[in-house]
Amino acid sequence: MAEYRPAAPDQEAFLEELVAARLLVRTGVPGVYGRGGAFEDVRLRFDDLVARLAAPDGPEVLRFPPLLPRRQLESSGYLKSFPHLAGSIFAFEGDEAQALAQEERAARHEDWSEYQSQSDLVLTPAACYPVYPAVGARGPLPAGGVTVDAGGAYVFRHEPSGDPARLQMFHQRELVRIGEPETVEAWRDAWRDRALDLLRGLGLDADFDVATDPFFGRSGRMLAASQRQQALKFEIQVQIAGPEPTAVASFNYHQDHFAAAHGITLADGGVAHTACLGFGEERIVLALLRTHGLDPAGWPEDVRSRLWTSA
Amino acid sequence: MTDEIRQIISEHGRLAVDVASLSDDADLYQAGMTSHASVGLMLALEDAFEVEFPDAMLKRSVFESIAAIAEALETLQKQAA
């Protein structure tokens, strides 16, 4: 079982307030919550705000379920970098006697994993993962590459925590740019600045910094040092609860990692580069609730008008 | 020592060029070594030279050339002696 990270006292208190206000609903598993209507309304309005901000880029809209073919995960290198965060789907493929035995153990809440077989599916670890193989399968990129609006999709991270801002399943609002290296890196940097303006415009005390992914193990420390030194990842952080600010958006330049893994080539045959950005939608809703109060109806008028007024 | 390092780089560095064509000071990352390949190289060097790179050495610059790797290994071997 993954190590449980307990909440800081103010994180636990914030979670209590959110549950009492019916914004979040406890399920009994840390990091997995139901959402009330008011919470979901803010999340969807933010999702729409990002779509409007991205519209001038003319992105292609692609949507995928929160499941990834297992082969795609295997090709992506995810199990090398983040084996501790992945979730894979197992299902029953036995006979009637085994079904009976499984049910008896399950009914007693004992271990029934021996009756389960690995399926062709894993849980999507990041909303952009299905985009790369889909684009790679089309053949060489058109001139100028492509920009994809991957939407706000559910993603899974196996990291149970008492912090309401560290969820095991949450919505990642992603945009992806695939093309020439200079184009892709410039797009990422421009969006970092755009996103900072967006979040500050919603009254959040947001700042960005160079960041690293939570790579696994000793080799992960080396990958993180390399990522930091090359400034491949930026995060925008906001104080929500706890001793440190929480990352609410990230801006990632993958160089040729995903393009090489999924055979994405430029119009001239060279290997493409990719970048993505992701907003953590639940974290942004939590940051707004923490900053402006638990009742969105009482939020400052300029914040409300940005979220609830269509362009 | 550099001959053995070169052999390990040829097996784990996944370079775009033949390691024999590189000087001891040549930049291995420029020669096509990825971050993931450098991790594989690091683990193979630990096995071959029976050392463990401390956290402070798990960074890009330590593995950027044959000379830099040799220097790091000599430092570790001296500490162990």
Side-chain angles (χ1 to χ4, degrees):
Chain A
M1 187 170 241
E3 195 177 334
Y4 170 70
R5 286 199 238 180
D10 63 334
Q11 290 168 341
E12 179 58 38
F14 186 40
L15 177 57
E16 288 292 343
E17 287 174 37
L18 293 162
V19 170
R22 299 195 179 176
L23 290 159
L24 292 184
V25 181
R26 289 185 194 270
T27 65
V29 174
V32 181
Y33 303 100
R35 289 100 164 120
F39 188 101
E40 199 62 1
D41 186 30
V42 177
R43 185 184 72 74
L44 290 170
R45 297 313 303 180
F46 178 78
D47 191 284
D48 190 50
L49 189 54
V50 175
R52 278 184 272 150
L53 197 61
D57 291 0
E60 175 183 349
V61 173
L62 285 177
R63 297 289 185 271
F64 292 92
L67 298 169
L68 199 63
R70 174 160 55 88
R71 288 186 68 88
Q72 289 181 6
L73 187 84
E74 290 164 354
S75 301
S76 72
Y78 191 83
L79 293 172
K80 190 185 283 180
S81 299
F82 312 107
H84 56 308
L85 299 177
S88 48
I89 297 183
F90 282 63
F92 177 75
E93 289 178 9
D95 61 21
E96 218 165 324
Q98 288 167 324
L100 198 61
Q102 172 177 266
E103 201 285 323
E104 280 173 6
R105 281 202 206 168
R108 294 194 299 268
H109 303 298
E110 292 171 2
D111 182 5
W112 44 281
S113 57
E114 73 174 84
Y115 301 105
Q116 294 281 301
S117 305
Q118 189 163 34
S119 75
D120 293 338
L121 295 167
V122 297
L123 295 169
T124 301
C128 62
Y129 270 59
V131 171
Y132 308 112
V135 172
R138 296 173 180 174
L141 293 171
V146 293
T147 306
V148 174
D149 175 343
Y154 261 127
V155 300
F156 176 79
R157 305 282 167 88
H158 190 216
E159 47 178 355
S161 164
D163 175 5
R166 188 169 294 281
L167 302 178
Q168 296 202 65
M169 196 166 235
F170 57 95
H171 290 89
Q172 214 175 37
R173 183 71 178 85
E174 282 228 42
L175 296 164
V176 181
R177 187 78 175 91
I178 307 176
E180 306 265 358
E182 305 74 36
T183 311
V184 161
E185 197 172 5
W187 176 88
R188 183 210 47 179
D189 292 351
W191 259 100
R192 182 191 65 206
D193 298 339
R194 241 189 223 183
L196 201 57
D197 288 346
L198 170 73
L199 295 170
R200 286 177 176 166
L202 294 175
L204 299 178
D205 186 8
D207 272 307
F208 79 82
D209 204 354
V210 176
T212 60
D213 283 309
F215 295 109
F216 182 73
R218 290 183 64 237
S219 53
R221 280 198 276 283
M222 192 158 145
L223 290 174
S226 183
Q227 187 181 37
R228 178 179 294 278
Q229 197 174 349
Q230 297 178 86
L232 297 179
K233 184 183 189 76
F234 289 97
E235 284 178 346
I236 293 181
Q237 301 179 330
V238 178
Q239 180 61 39
I240 300 177
E244 289 167 353
T246 300
V248 298
S250 77
F251 306 83
N252 309 286
Y253 178 31
H254 318 118
Q255 298 172 315
D256 65 354
H257 177 79
F258 286 110
H262 299 293
I264 309 176
T265 56
L266 297 169
D268 68 5
V271 174
H273 279 211
T274 64
C276 73
L277 66 95
F279 293 96
E281 290 191 334
E282 281 81 356
R283 284 186 173 180
I284 287 167
V285 177
L286 292 172
L288 289 165
L289 292 165
R290 187 72 165 174
T291 303
H292 301 306
L294 296 185
D295 178 12
W299 288 359
E301 197 45 50
D302 61 323
V303 174
R304 284 191 55 81
S305 68
R306 276 169 210 258
L307 286 167
W308 276 274
T309 306
S310 294
Chain B
M1 177 187 270
T2 55
D3 286 348
E4 196 171 353
I5 295 172
R6 281 173 180 275
Q7 177 62 33
I8 294 169
I9 291 171
S10 74
E11 288 167 19
H12 298 276
R14 291 190 257 142
L15 302 185
V17 298
D18 186 347
V19 69
S21 70
L22 298 176
S23 72
D24 284 357
D25 293 320
D27 188 324
L28 297 173
Y29 295 104
Q30 291 289 333
M33 184 168 71
T34 64
S35 302
H36 282 281
S38 72
V39 168
L41 173 64
M42 181 269 286
L43 296 171
L45 289 165
E46 289 191 338
D47 271 358
F49 290 93
E50 297 181 337
V51 294
E52 184 167 314
F53 291 101
D55 280 4
M57 279 193 180
L58 296 178
K59 58 186 181 189
R60 214 171 152 79
S61 59
V62 170
F63 301 89
E64 73 186 356
S65 68
I66 293 162
I69 292 168
E71 190 186 327
L73 288 172
E74 279 163 17
T75 305
L76 291 176
Q77 287 178 334
K78 266 184 218 148
Q79 285 171 359

